[in-house]
Structures are given as structure tokens and as C-alpha cells.
Amino acid sequence: TISIAIPTYKAPPDLLRRCLNSIHTQTFKDFDIVMMEDFEGKGMGWGTNQVIQNAEGKLIKILYQDDYFAHENALQIIVDNFLDEDNWLVTACTHTTGNPHYPRYNENIHRGINTIGSPSVLTIRNKDPLLFEPQLNWVLDCDYYKRLYIKYGEPKIVNNINVVIGIGEHQTTHRLSEEYKKSEIKYLIEKYS
């Protein structure tokens, strides 16, 4: 029913172990795991596309290796709420720092104002799925959400905290310069103006 798509990169191995442990404790068992080896240097968008393109489930649940399911019923909640007419669904999350986040779509998401959250809150239908822009790193999610919105409208929102986002120095986005981040936001503003 659902493919859990995990792009991997150079992060401490205990983070991937934590992610996989959270998957194996799920009460919903009709899933497979699609992992792609280290995409460091190729871009987060490129790595995420690799796992999307290799997913075989009816649904694709993105889950970055430093993130993990918040409880054992996370997959069941996603499957129960993803109806036939839905094309993308996002859930609430919390962070390892303890800050909960409840998603909402906003019309300025392409300006880097991400009110949805990390791609780890996202589940998409596996029917000719959109791919991420391969070169993007900082605002790859903002661009992807904007394109999903253009194609399908607003996401189905489930305000259940299903995912924990792993915050830390290991994150690719912490290694990007402010100049680089600004250049990606400028690119998106020009793209959607």
C-alpha cells in the first residue's frame, strides 16, 4: 500500500537506525522501504527523486533519515486519511527540540515561507508523481509544495503529530551559506512571478 521513501546522506548512523526502528514498530504493516545511497553533493532534490522513482506502493511517504515516526500508529493514520480523491497529504510534526508544528498552505510559500514543514510530513499518491527540482536544497520543499498546489490544490491536512523532525548540525541545510539560501529564494520568486 505505501512505500516509505528514505533518501540517505552523510549523517550519524544512529539517526538512520532511529528512523528504521520507528518504521518497524508501526502497527500498519503493508509497506516497503525504498532507500537510496548517499546523495551528498548531488542535492537533496536529486536524492529524493531517486527514492520516489523507485517506489512501488500506491502511496509514497517521504521520510528523511534523521526524522522518524512519532508513534506506532503513524502509518495507519496516513492510510486511513488518504482518500481516493486526495493527491497529497501532510501531517503535523514535532521537532527533537520539542516544538510542535501544525501545517497550513500559504500563497507565499514560493518566497521561502514554509508553513507546511519538512518533506518528512508529506505523503503523495504514486500516480505519475511530481519530482523535486534536483538542484535545490534550501527551498526544495517550498518549490515542491507550490507545484503540488498548482496541480492539485491545497493538501489534505491531518493535524496529528506523526513525525519527529531531527534538528541538528548534521542537517544539510545547516551547511548552506546565507548567500546560497538567498539565491535559491530569489530563484523561486522569479520562477513564480
Side-chain angles (χ1 to χ4, degrees):
T1 298
I2 190 164
S3 290
I4 303 169
I6 308 173
T8 63
Y9 52 92
K10 291 178 181 155
D14 59 315
L15 298 182
L16 179 58
R17 194 168 18 262
R18 178 180 68 185
C19 175
L20 293 173
N21 286 340
S22 78
I23 294 169
H24 290 294
T25 62
Q26 292 299 300
T27 57
F28 184 84
K29 299 293 185 187
D30 186 12
F31 66 84
D32 66 348
I33 299 171
V34 181
M35 292 178 63
M36 204 286 292
E37 288 188 36
D38 187 16
F39 62 82
E40 190 75 24
K42 296 179 182 175
M44 290 180 70
W46 184 89
T48 308
N49 288 343
Q50 296 304 303
V51 289
I52 288 172
Q53 290 171 318
N54 286 288
E56 295 180 359
K58 293 176 186 174
L59 303 176
I60 301 171
K61 169 71 187 114
I62 307 291
L63 190 63
Y64 285 138
Q65 74 178 31
D66 51 348
D67 304 334
Y68 57 98
F69 288 120
H71 52 81
E72 64 185 12
N73 295 314
L75 278 180
Q76 187 69 59
I77 289 169
I78 290 167
V79 170
D80 288 349
N81 283 280
F82 207 113
L83 305 178
D84 289 340
E85 64 270 14
D86 298 326
N87 288 292
W88 63 307
L89 175 146
V90 293
T91 63
C93 66
T94 190
H95 301 85
T96 52
T97 56
N99 299 326
H101 174 77
Y102 296 92
R104 65 180 175 79
Y105 185 80
N106 79 82
E107 293 182 12
N108 288 311
I109 202 158
H110 64 284
R111 296 182 175 275
I113 304 167
N114 186 352
T115 52
I116 291 180
S118 160
S120 287
V121 304
L122 175 66
T123 304
I124 59 174
R125 183 173 303 285
N126 192 6
K127 184 179 179 186
D128 191 28
L130 289 177
L131 297 177
F132 286 78
E133 277 213 27
Q135 77 280 9
L136 293 177
N137 289 292
W138 177 243
V139 290
L140 81 157
D141 43 8
C142 294
D143 174 68
Y144 194 74
Y145 300 149
K146 181 74 170 184
R147 289 188 292 119
L148 283 169
Y149 174 77
I150 290 168
K151 187 169 182 176
Y152 301 117
E154 291 196 18
K156 170 81 164 274
I157 294 175
V158 177
N159 276 320
N160 180 283
I161 295 178
N162 261 15
V163 175
V164 179
I165 306 299
I167 303 296
E169 292 302 314
H170 64 276
Q171 292 177 290
T172 301
T173 53
H174 284 292
R175 292 181 258 147
L176 303 174
S177 70
E178 288 303 313
E179 183 177 314
Y180 179 87
K181 293 174 184 178
K182 287 177 186 176
S183 72
E184 280 201 2
I185 292 171
K186 181 181 177 192
Y187 167 75
L188 285 195
I189 291 170
E190 290 172 357
K191 178 179 176 178
Y192 293 107
S193 64

